[in-house]
Amino acid sequence: MNAPIIGVTPSGGDNDLGVRAYAIAADYTMAVQRAGGIPVILPLHITEIDALLDTLDGVLFSGGGDIDPGIFNQETHETTGGIDAERDTFEIALMRAAFARDMPILAICRGIQVMNVERGGDLVQDIPSQTDSTKKHNQRAEGAGEHDIFQQAVLDDGENPVAKALGSGEIQINSFHHQALGTVPDSLKVVARGDDGIIEAVYAPDATFALGTQWHPERLAAQHAEQQALFDGFVTAAKDYANR
Amino acid sequence: MKPLIGLTPTPELLNMPHGTFRRHTLSDHYSRAIAAAGGIPVMLPSNFDDADAMLDRLDGVVITGGGDINPAEYEQDQHPKTDEIDSERDAFEQMVLKSAIARDMPILGICRGLQMFNVGLGGTLYQDVEDLKPDPAEHRQQSLGVHAEERFHSVTIAPGEHPLKEIADNGTMEVNSFHHQGIDKLASDLQAIATAEDGLVEAVWHPGISWGMAVQWHPELLAHKYDEHAAIFRSLVEASEKHHESEVNS
């Protein structure tokens, strides 16, 4: 049996020659690789989404800049930045098509926000000015390293793919975001929150495996087995998908 | 199913406000050229250590442009102008090249990719064409202000059975050029199928496999406006389709 192949979405931006380039942190691909998957990086210009998904067994939505708030019918907040129309279009179409064929989905940071918006929810564009939260959500600004644990969240009891990897109760996570989920559609279930109420994880009960985390498990997975277990569960689901 | 074509990326270390990250990166010209030719392009993580498992899931591969290959790979000391060495990338691309040849998977090399074909199969490079090759022509069009998406010099296409023979109308092609290294001693498994006026090898063909070609120029920058360069990618995609069908049927 061949290893499952996992498509990973990259960021887009101009390189130092002024040419548009796609880039992805190796932390993502290494976490997939440790789980036994073959990670490949998906160019954001692809428009033939179904032909692309025909070649894959799972999709990983990575972190990045903010989603255009016009997509969830909001005016752009002054702190919203890094909007990439090509990436928004590609990832929303990819999310929709992956759900439509029940392909396993792991959605990280911006990814959980794409999942929520595509399923019909919206976002808090700026946590400090638009919520009561006084917690810090950019750990680098607080002097923590990019591969360090920074804060905690509380995970629901019960049957859900996040708890399956991390156990229930208090979990140790990191934090690198200024936006968060706002309204969550009925098709997604919130399973983890910080003590400030910020949503840290959701999953789709009607899908075989579709979950999102607001934190970055790929930056912890090399050191923390429970974070790697999220990727292990995802790649196992992709293997099962390939055998369907 | 459309053929899935893997592209090797450029590794980089990037300092960002939220941390320092090792990243896989690639300009969009390569993947756009593959998509326009009818393939599905994906970028490959260059720190992956099992090329065989990866190629099991692909139908074709492209080794892309980038910095210089470590001259230790062809048993030379480093020339002062040899730059941007990345041993992890060298090792990954060598693995991909060897795995593709062993399984008869279509493989295209571009710029550094051509040099990797030659080094991986036992040839050597001029570490700096200007300093080391006798009577060199200019191979860096940017030094003359010629835009990357414009053609700069002609190459002569060799007779024989290979894709460039079918693509080139009258035995020549006009190409772009931005490299400071080039092929010196050609690997014995490779045929030179295009040469510049100064004799530098501009394209090679591997006659031992169904479709193995590499070019010193950058057809991905020309493909959107010059059809003979788009044809290189169409030829690769067509060969990858055939490879996919033969794998499915075997």
Side-chain angles (χ1 to χ4, degrees):
Chain A
M1 170 58 207
N2 289 338
I5 184 166
I6 307 295
V8 184
T9 63
S11 294
D14 286 352
N15 67 17
D16 49 14
L17 300 172
V19 171
R20 184 162 169 84
Y22 303 122
I24 183 75
D27 289 328
Y28 291 99
T29 59
M30 289 161 69
V32 169
Q33 184 179 352
R34 281 192 297 269
I38 307 283
V40 294
I41 301 140
L42 308 178
L44 302 174
H45 61 75
I46 291 179
T47 52
E48 295 181 82
I49 301 293
D50 281 313
L52 172 63
L53 287 183
D54 286 346
T55 69
L56 302 176
D57 302 319
V59 279
L60 195 169
F61 292 80
S62 64
D66 296 333
I67 299 168
D68 182 351
I71 295 171
F72 48 93
N73 299 316
Q74 288 182 12
E75 301 288 324
T76 302
H77 188 272
E78 61 185 12
T79 60
T80 293
I83 292 174
D84 181 337
E86 183 185 70
R87 185 173 185 184
D88 285 347
T89 302
F90 175 76
E91 289 192 323
I92 286 173
L94 188 70
M95 185 70 78
R96 187 165 300 155
F99 268 113
R101 61 174 75 193
D102 197 29
M103 178 179 280
I105 299 167
L106 179 59
I108 293 173
C109 197
R110 171 190 160 90
I112 190 177
Q113 297 171 3
V114 171
M115 179 182 279
N116 196 54
V117 167
E118 189 282 319
R119 296 282 91 183
D122 66 11
L123 304 181
V124 174
Q125 289 188 54
D126 188 55
I127 294 170
S129 64
Q130 297 184 327
T131 73
D132 296 334
S133 174
T134 54
K135 273 175 82 168
K136 303 296 185 188
H137 287 280
N138 179 357
Q139 71 186 56
R140 281 294 287 178
E142 306 306 312
E146 60 269 27
H147 293 104
D148 293 347
I149 294 280
F150 180 67
Q151 59 187 219
Q152 293 75 40
V154 176
L155 188 53
D156 282 1
D157 293 339
E159 277 296 307
N160 74 71
V162 187
K164 194 173 171 190
L166 289 153
S168 54
E170 187 176 275
I171 56 170
Q172 305 295 319
I173 60 174
N174 54 13
S175 192
F176 307 83
H177 60 108
H178 79 111
Q179 299 197 338
L181 302 200
T183 307
V184 176
D186 292 342
S187 58
L188 297 178
K189 185 168 164 45
V190 176
V191 291
R193 287 183 190 266
D195 58 15
D196 56 354
I198 296 296
I199 293 168
E200 291 287 353
V202 300
Y203 84 110
D206 293 340
T208 302
F209 188 102
L211 71 85
T213 66
Q214 185 60 66
W215 77 90
H216 280 271
E218 82 286 359
R219 293 183 193 157
L220 301 172
Q223 301 294 331
H224 301 276
E226 74 281 9
Q227 301 284 347
Q228 178 62 37
L230 282 172
F231 294 91
D232 297 347
F234 170 53
V235 171
T236 299
K239 196 180 289 181
D240 294 343
Y241 175 88
N243 289 331
R244 267 187 229 166
Chain B
M1 249 168 64
K2 291 189 164 206
L4 187 62
I5 313 284
L7 310 168
T8 64
T10 303
E12 67 174 11
L13 201 62
L14 188 70
N15 288 304
M16 298 174 83
H18 56 295
T20 299
F21 297 97
R22 185 163 177 80
R23 307 203 305 173
H24 315 294
T25 182
L26 189 66
S27 76
D28 70 349
H29 294 108
Y30 292 99
S31 51
R32 285 184 183 278
I34 295 291
I40 303 278
V42 290
M43 294 154 56
L44 305 175
S46 59
N47 57 349
F48 201 80
D49 58 4
D50 188 348
D52 283 329
M54 180 175 269
L55 266 55
D56 281 344
R57 300 306 311 264
L58 302 175
D59 304 311
V61 284
V62 181
I63 300 183
T64 61
D68 295 335
I69 297 166
N70 189 339
E73 300 277 354
Y74 46 98
E75 295 173 1
Q76 288 184 12
D77 293 332
Q78 189 170 337
H79 183 275
K81 289 190 186 169
T82 293
D83 197 17
E84 296 181 63
I85 289 174
D86 183 326
S87 295
E88 183 180 275
R89 181 176 185 181
D90 289 346
F92 176 70
E93 291 184 338
Q94 290 244 20
M95 259 190 331
V96 167
L97 173 73
K98 283 168 185 165
S99 181
I101 290 171
R103 66 179 65 213
D104 197 25
M105 176 178 283
I107 179 167
L108 172 65
I110 293 177
C111 197
R112 169 192 160 89
L114 166 123
Q115 296 167 6
M116 184 53 73
F117 263 55
N118 194 50
V119 170
L121 296 171
T124 66
L125 304 180
Y126 293 118
Q127 288 191 53
D128 190 74
V129 170
E130 191 178 26
D131 282 5
L132 299 171
K133 183 189 178 308
D135 303 320
E138 180 58 70
H139 288 276
R140 306 185 70 189
Q141 71 189 56
Q142 67 270 43
S143 68
L144 300 177
V146 179
H147 191 273
E149 295 177 11
E150 290 304 331
R151 301 174 298 178
F152 177 65
H153 68 72
S154 61
V155 299
T156 303
I157 308 300
E161 285 198 23
H162 56 81
L164 293 187
K165 188 77 183 79
E166 293 164 30
I167 290 167
D169 275 342
N170 53 7
T172 66
M173 285 180 79
E174 295 294 318
V175 304
N176 56 7
S177 188
F178 355 77
H179 56 106
H180 82 106
Q181 298 197 335
I183 290 179
D184 180 2
K185 177 176 159 286
L186 185 67
S188 58
D189 284 349
L190 296 175
Q191 291 175 355
I193 57 170
T195 47
E197 60 182 11
D198 62 359
L200 195 70
V201 175
E202 291 277 343
V204 298
W205 175 249
H206 192 312
I209 59 174
S210 300
W211 204 101
M213 187 166 82
V215 297
Q216 182 60 72
W217 68 91
H218 282 273
E220 81 283 2
L221 295 173
L222 301 170
H224 66 289
K225 54 200 278 197
Y226 297 106
D227 191 64
E228 70 267 29
H229 296 286
I232 292 171
F233 296 97
R234 289 198 299 270
S235 180
L236 169 71
V237 168
E238 191 181 316
S240 301
E241 272 169 13
K242 282 188 194 145
H243 180 77
H244 181 83
E245 283 159 20
S246 69
E247 291 291 301
V248 169
N249 295 331
S250 67

